[in-house]
Amino acid sequence: MSDGPLNGEISLVTGSGAGNGRAIAKKLAQMGSKVVVNDIDKGKAESVGEEIEKAGGQALVTVGDATKQEEVKRVAKEAKDEYGRVDILVNNVGLFEAIKFTDMELEDWRKYMALNLDSMYLYTYEFLSGMIDREHGKIVNISSDAGKSGYPELVAYSAAKHGVVGFTRALAKEVASDGINVNAVCPGYIKTDMHWAFLDQWAEAAGKTSEEIEEEAIAGIPLGEFGKPEYVAEVVGFLVSPATEWMSGQAVNISGGLETH
Ligand SMILES: NC(=O)c1ccc[n+]([C@@H]2O[C@H](COP(=O)([O-])OP(=O)(O)OC[C@H]3O[C@@H](n4cnc5c(N)ncnc54)[C@H](O)[C@@H]3O)[C@@H](O)[C@H]2O)c1
């Protein structure tokens, strides 16, 4: 794995114990990067670290809540103590749940902002100065198709994921002259634990079965099926590869054709 296009690069992927983050961490390791796996769940993080090492890659397993500054600082220190720096940061942590706006208390609103936006701010803050000093770095923020269009029962999530796209576009311009690329990925329906939980919540709210909701959702996807975390990982792999030196501030859709702008 040491002769891939990311040979010599150090990556950190937040929330990489499962779902999209897990596939992204494995992809970056496969491309030759040493990967800092991070999750709030120790067991999940450890199993991804083991998978990477078993496949011949190198991983540092870290555990911490991406919404808490002291924990993010500790994780950042562990990464820097082990590898000296982080060149590639993937802000993947996020949360979506079906909730009607009229049922959404301030604490719910803040939970979605914390998971989707605070986590991105906190990790970027820890690593951006080092990237600027070295004039080298790539940041990829995981947004959503809800970062391009609004979805019912996902008002806070849609607001936050539009925020992820805005953050990406603004920061990309702010640090372009420092040799840093900042891009976002906007996945559609991807088969992860959070996706299945969301379909169940949606079905309950609509008084339908999960199977009915699944059918309706798939019917709205031009390419006719839900996506896999590996599809998201492929796009991230491209965005952090040497092929994208002249690409920044973009929000790339990977949604089976569902989102087209
Ligand atoms: N699955 C989809 O359909 C879909 C679509 C669009 C965007 N996304 C985005 O992809 C990202 C990952 O979602 P997923 O579907 O893979 O979720 P997932 O639930 O499968 O995995 C999320 C991982 O993050 C970890 N995590 C949760 N809270 C954390 C915290 N505070 N600190 C650190 N780690 C934490 C979990 O333990 C878990 O391992 C999110 O930003 C989500 O909004 C997902």
Side-chain angles (χ1 to χ4, degrees):
M1 282 202 185
S2 59
D3 56 354
L6 300 183
N7 187 19
E9 302 286 301
I10 313 295
S11 308
L12 186 148
V13 186
T14 69
S16 47
N20 293 331
R22 169 174 173 266
I24 295 165
K26 289 172 68 177
K27 176 69 189 174
L28 302 189
Q30 197 184 50
M31 291 171 74
S33 174
K34 292 176 185 166
V35 179
V36 182
V37 174
N38 163 257
D39 206 277
I40 198 167
D41 183 314
K42 188 168 182 266
K44 286 183 184 173
E46 281 175 350
S47 76
V48 174
E50 279 163 26
E51 283 181 78
I52 289 175
E53 303 252 333
K54 228 182 236 171
Q58 277 191 58
L60 172 71
V61 171
T62 64
V63 181
D65 183 339
T67 68
K68 297 207 161 75
Q69 189 165 35
E70 64 283 6
E71 297 194 26
V72 172
K73 282 193 179 297
R74 177 180 46 73
V75 169
K77 185 175 180 313
E78 286 171 23
K80 288 175 196 168
D81 286 351
E82 180 74 13
Y83 294 133
R85 63 183 198 283
V86 161
D87 307 301
I88 294 168
L89 172 64
V90 183
N91 288 308
N92 166 72
V93 159
L95 175 69
F96 56 97
E97 292 167 327
I99 180 166
K100 276 193 175 305
F101 186 79
T102 45
D103 293 335
M104 189 167 38
E105 302 293 340
L106 182 58
E107 66 186 291
D108 299 311
W109 169 265
R110 287 192 170 142
K111 177 177 71 174
Y112 299 112
M113 296 304 140
L115 265 299
N116 292 292
L117 288 170
D118 292 6
S119 59
M120 178 179 62
Y121 158 75
L122 289 169
Y123 270 99
T124 303
Y125 188 81
E126 287 307 311
F127 294 111
L128 187 66
S129 300
M131 291 180 184
I132 291 172
D133 290 346
R134 294 185 297 278
E135 296 190 337
H136 175 72
K138 293 204 167 164
I139 299 174
V140 178
N141 301 315
I142 304 303
S143 178
S144 167
D145 53 356
K148 297 276 186 80
S149 295
Y151 285 87
E153 275 125 47
L154 282 173
V155 172
Y157 181 68
S158 299
K161 289 303 197 188
H162 275 71
V164 171
V165 172
F167 177 104
T168 301
R169 290 176 173 154
L171 188 66
K173 289 187 177 168
E174 187 166 319
V175 299
S177 61
D178 297 303
I180 298 159
N181 305 59
V182 189
N183 289 293
V185 177
C186 298
Y189 295 100
I190 307 293
K191 292 184 279 185
T192 66
D193 294 347
M194 193 139 53
H195 161 92
W196 297 122
F198 172 70
L199 289 190
D200 291 343
Q201 294 153 14
W202 189 8
E204 200 184 319
K208 296 182 178 173
T209 65
S210 297
E211 289 71 27
E212 284 169 329
I213 287 291
E214 190 175 329
E215 257 176 50
E216 284 175 25
I218 290 175
I221 303 171
L223 288 175
E225 58 185 355
F226 292 141
K228 301 177 192 163
E230 287 72 21
Y231 297 163
V232 178
E234 284 298 324
V235 178
V236 175
F238 170 67
L239 289 174
V240 302
S241 75
T244 56
E245 286 308 315
W246 205 53
M247 181 173 175
S248 201
Q250 303 306 304
V252 182
N253 302 318
I254 173 83
S255 61
L258 180 64
E259 185 61 66
T260 53
H261 82 285

